[in-house]
Amino acid sequence: RDKSPLGRFASRAGASYREPMSDLADLFPGFETHWIDTRAGRIFARAGGAGPPLALVHGFPQTHVEWHKIAPALAARFRVVALDLRGYGFSDIPPSHKGEAYSKRAMAGDVIEVMEKLGFQRFAFVGHDRGARVGYRLALDHPHRLTRLAALDIVPTYAMWRDMDAKRAMRVYHWLFMAQPAPMPERLMAADARAWIDYTLASWTARRDLTCFDPRALDHYRRFFSDPARIAATCEDYRAGATIDRALDEADRAAGRTIDMPFLALWGDAGIPGEGLSPLDLWRELAPAAEGASVRSGHFLPEEAPEETAAALLKFLA
């Protein structure tokens, strides 16, 4: 019997989001759909455009859909691959215990497998939130894989925990709550999943409401978060962040490892990273040559400020 936090939901994992795809809007017209077999199971991706390869990786509590407003501009210059992290969106849900299957090292391996199977050994990477944590772990573990890396609205995981004070803990309460032992967070979140995701999305925007989100994108996010198995997967993601990911970061810091490729940090001027120490100063502890700037936005740059975000990314990626 599977005693992992995801075991109780294994029989219906993904059933509420993957199977009825036809009633959810296609926000990437002209893009191809891929289900790619990896060691973690099948990873879902949309691919479109022509040019050098570019991976787009979403954050919590979203899916690949978060890129829909800026994907056309990026696809005019790049071969864009927007994928769903394991456990999120349409991708499979590996069983896990205490975050072991949801470390950013493991997720980075998924990105490599997806890009390889689409024909790309090296690629640029843009990540938001959890996706950005996957990106900088990939850069540390496999620097030869990436040409450029952009991280949207985060600071390094080790810095988040190191600099946690009462103010930050209140703002990012979910870091502590979702990392608690299973199944308490899962049960509380699943009790009213619609209220949880709507509140979370709205509270992290500059306007503190849902107006920046296309209603069709909200349909995707709400459907994804209606599946108890996927809620459990997101909790495993945060358990990994509090333990495995933090330990890997601290080991790299102790060993003096840094990110030497071109690196861009963007953050919302009304987002969480913008409230503390300079995000760029924190990133330069890890990526000494990092460049960066704030965007007029809350946490969700690709949806709150798509034009400004796309322009900054295109300039950097060029």
Side-chain angles (χ1 to χ4, degrees):
R1 179 178 176 83
D2 185 354
K3 296 183 179 180
S4 77
L6 303 181
R8 68 182 63 242
F9 305 123
S11 63
R12 53 177 169 166
S16 63
Y17 188 59
R18 178 187 299 163
E19 293 171 7
M21 288 175 61
S22 60
D23 68 338
L24 290 168
D26 177 3
L27 299 181
F28 295 80
F31 275 51
E32 303 160 5
T33 298
H34 296 276
W35 299 88
I36 298 171
D37 290 324
T38 72
R39 285 166 289 186
R42 294 200 303 170
I43 298 295
F44 180 84
R46 300 298 304 272
L54 170 63
L56 302 180
V57 186
H58 66 88
F60 172 87
Q62 297 169 290
T63 72
H64 74 280
V65 169
E66 78 157 271
W67 304 106
H68 75 100
K69 290 183 180 180
I70 69 173
L74 297 175
R77 304 261 301 270
F78 299 92
R79 179 62 173 173
V80 170
V81 178
L83 59 89
D84 284 334
L85 291 168
R86 59 170 68 184
Y88 286 78
F90 294 120
S91 292
D92 279 351
I93 310 173
S96 182
H97 181 61
K98 295 185 178 179
E100 61 191 2
Y102 289 83
S103 72
K104 306 311 160 290
R105 174 168 284 172
M107 290 177 164
D110 296 343
V111 177
I112 291 173
E113 284 195 76
V114 166
M115 296 303 283
E116 276 190 345
K117 291 186 177 181
L118 292 176
F120 308 119
Q121 295 292 321
R122 282 171 52 80
F123 48 91
F125 188 112
V126 176
H128 172 234
D129 188 83
R130 313 309 285 178
R133 300 187 191 285
V134 172
Y136 85 76
R137 173 46 51 194
L138 198 161
L140 288 165
D141 288 350
H142 308 279
H144 60 288
R145 293 286 188 173
L146 298 185
T147 57
R148 290 175 177 264
L149 172 61
L152 275 54
D153 211 57
I154 68 162
V155 296
T157 298
Y158 74 84
M160 282 290 290
W161 288 109
R162 181 193 66 191
D163 300 333
M164 190 77 70
D165 57 13
K167 180 179 179 182
R168 173 159 286 184
M170 290 296 292
R171 188 80 165 95
V172 296
Y173 69 93
H174 63 294
W175 275 57
L176 294 84
F177 169 70
M178 294 175 66
Q180 295 299 311
M184 182 269 288
E186 289 91 333
R187 286 177 173 171
L188 295 179
M189 294 164 73
D192 195 344
R194 172 69 174 267
W196 173 277
I197 193 169
D198 282 6
Y199 171 80
T200 298
L201 290 168
S203 68
W204 294 347
T205 68
R207 292 170 56 96
R208 302 296 190 265
D209 62 29
L210 297 172
T211 56
C212 70
F213 300 107
D214 186 308
R216 300 169 300 169
L218 277 175
D219 286 345
H220 277 263
Y221 304 150
R222 288 164 173 163
R223 184 75 61 82
F224 148 64
F225 218 67
S226 69
D227 184 347
R230 297 193 180 280
I231 292 174
T234 65
C235 289
E236 286 291 281
D237 181 357
Y238 277 86
R239 290 182 186 114
T243 56
I244 302 167
D245 300 336
R246 181 182 181 184
L248 290 172
D249 275 16
E250 291 173 348
D252 284 332
R253 290 281 294 156
R257 298 187 187 95
T258 58
I259 296 172
D260 299 322
M261 68 192 63
F263 185 101
L264 175 69
L266 296 177
W267 61 92
D269 58 8
I272 295 168
E275 295 179 348
L277 300 173
S278 165
L280 191 53
D281 288 344
L282 292 173
W283 277 116
R284 284 177 174 163
E285 295 177 2
L286 185 61
E291 57 184 279
S294 65
V295 173
R296 293 185 298 276
S297 177
H299 179 56
F300 303 103
L301 280 67
E303 289 168 289
E304 291 184 73
E307 293 182 3
E308 188 176 353
T309 301
L313 289 175
L314 285 168
K315 180 180 179 181
F316 169 71
L317 294 168

